[in-house]
């Protein structure tokens, strides 16, 4: 039975799973949703994830939300080296994935809600929230930039799930105007991923098409 993935093609969190699955040679059956129309808050969907968030994976009896957990599940299912090849590497990959969720992506998501979702709803961004996000992003990005100064990837010398999780906020960065451009090693690493991981570039195009269409339909095209 095919593994189903529920999500919106414009979502950076869905992109983490579609990218990892493609790299692992896992075929997914997509159940496309429109998050701008509230598809993740219907009674049927809330049975899969009561938090009303995507992506959600359904593999037979296994229902999982949180893109990081889904990617670990998929990597273990096929024995992928995206999760690291030694115990030490695996813990480092997990360290960055947990860090990314708590200290990094959460700010990017908040900025997306302030600048994109609110704009589609015709609401104004809140400068105090934007200020808080920018302070936290700059502090985290400075550490990440130093980490990447002499490395090509976040852990070891090849792509892992850590890169995919930490790189996800770049999915919307030119729209959210998150201040990543101030950090040259971070920018160079992201460009390296786009240049050397074709599916990372493909999934970016998918997001851009979807979000550009939503913005155009809302009369907010840029
Ligand atoms: N921590 C979650 C984040 C999930 C998340 O924020 N999903 C967004 C799309 S990127 C969503 O489904 N939003 C729907 C909503 O807020 O109504 C993960 O990593 O999977």
């Amino acid at each position: 039975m095919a593994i189903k993935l529920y999500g919106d093609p414009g979502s950076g969190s869905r992109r983490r799973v579609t990218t990892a699955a493609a790299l692992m040679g896992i075929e997914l059956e997509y159940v496309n949703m429109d998050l701008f129309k509230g598809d993740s808050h219907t009674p049927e969907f809330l049975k899969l994830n009561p938090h009303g968030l995507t992506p959600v994976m359904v593999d037979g009896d296994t229902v999982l939300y949180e893109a990081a957990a889904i990617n670990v599940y998929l990597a273990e299912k096929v024995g992928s080296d995206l999760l690291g090849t030694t115990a030490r590497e695996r813990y480092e990959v997990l360290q960055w994935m947990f860090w990314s969720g708590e200290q990094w992506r959460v700010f990017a998501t908040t900025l997306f809600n302030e600048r994109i979702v609110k704009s589609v709803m015709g609401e104004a961004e809140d400068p105090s929230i934007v200020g808080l996000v920018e302070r936290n992003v700059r502090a985290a990005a400075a550490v990440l930039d130093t980490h990447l100064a002499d490395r090509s990837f976040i852990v070891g010398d090849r792509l892992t799930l850590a890169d995919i999780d930490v790189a996800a906020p770049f999915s919307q960065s030119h729209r959210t105007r998150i201040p990543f451009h101030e950090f040259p090693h971070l920018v160079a690493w992201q460009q390296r991923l786009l240049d050397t991981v074709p599916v990372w570039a493909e999934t970016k195009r998918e997001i851009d098409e979807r979000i550009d269409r939503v913005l155009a339909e809302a009369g907010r095209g840029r």
Side-chain angles (χ1 to χ4, degrees):
M1 200 193 300
I3 300 176
K4 282 190 186 168
L5 188 73
Y6 291 75
D8 187 315
S11 147
S13 294
R14 176 185 180 273
R15 180 188 186 199
R16 288 152 58 205
V17 179
T18 56
T19 300
L23 289 168
M24 292 188 265
I26 297 174
E27 209 173 308
L28 297 173
E29 182 185 320
Y30 298 115
V31 182
N32 285 345
M33 301 167 64
D34 187 341
L35 297 180
F36 291 91
K37 296 207 168 113
D39 284 0
S40 63
H41 297 275
T42 62
E44 301 76 50
F45 186 78
L46 292 174
K47 285 184 200 146
L48 295 176
N49 183 357
H51 302 292
L53 292 170
T54 58
V56 170
M57 181 213 74
V58 179
D59 183 16
D61 290 340
T62 307
V63 179
L64 269 184
Y65 51 83
E66 289 297 317
I70 297 170
N71 277 350
V72 170
Y73 172 89
L74 295 176
E76 287 194 333
K77 190 176 171 96
V78 298
S80 167
D81 64 2
L82 281 179
L83 196 46
T85 48
T86 62
R88 191 197 158 93
E89 221 178 54
R90 180 188 168 97
Y91 292 128
E92 263 186 66
V93 170
L94 290 173
Q95 165 196 282
W96 282 103
M97 290 172 82
F98 291 139
W99 174 84
S100 180
E102 292 200 33
Q103 318 292 340
W104 182 240
R105 285 194 320 273
V106 63
F107 300 115
T109 305
T110 303
L111 200 55
F112 182 79
N113 289 337
E114 281 306 304
R115 293 215 158 127
I116 308 301
V117 177
K118 278 189 167 178
S119 138
V120 169
M121 305 295 182
E123 295 171 23
E125 69 186 48
D126 180 334
S128 66
I129 295 180
V130 171
L132 175 85
V133 164
E134 287 181 345
R135 275 195 301 285
N136 281 286
V137 165
R138 285 196 172 100
V143 175
L144 198 51
D145 201 57
T146 303
H147 180 77
L148 288 165
D150 55 0
R151 286 180 176 79
S152 294
F153 299 97
I154 301 270
V155 177
D157 55 7
R158 66 193 159 72
L159 185 86
T160 65
L161 292 181
D163 295 284
I164 293 173
D165 264 18
V166 178
F170 277 89
S171 306
Q172 315 282 3
S173 57
H174 66 287
R175 282 179 281 267
T176 59
R177 307 192 304 284
I178 200 164
F180 290 161
H181 60 279
E182 297 169 13
F183 301 92
H185 303 301
L186 189 57
V187 170
W189 160 77
Q190 176 59 201
Q191 193 55 50
R192 189 156 51 245
L193 295 188
L194 287 171
D195 293 343
T196 63
V197 184
V199 69
W200 190 242
E202 262 167 53
T203 51
K204 172 78 169 84
R205 281 192 289 277
E206 186 180 19
I207 287 196
D208 287 345
E209 278 168 27
R210 163 77 177 135
I211 300 295
D212 287 348
R213 198 167 53 245
V214 169
L215 289 171
E217 281 167 7
R220 307 270 158 183
R222 49 182 86 188

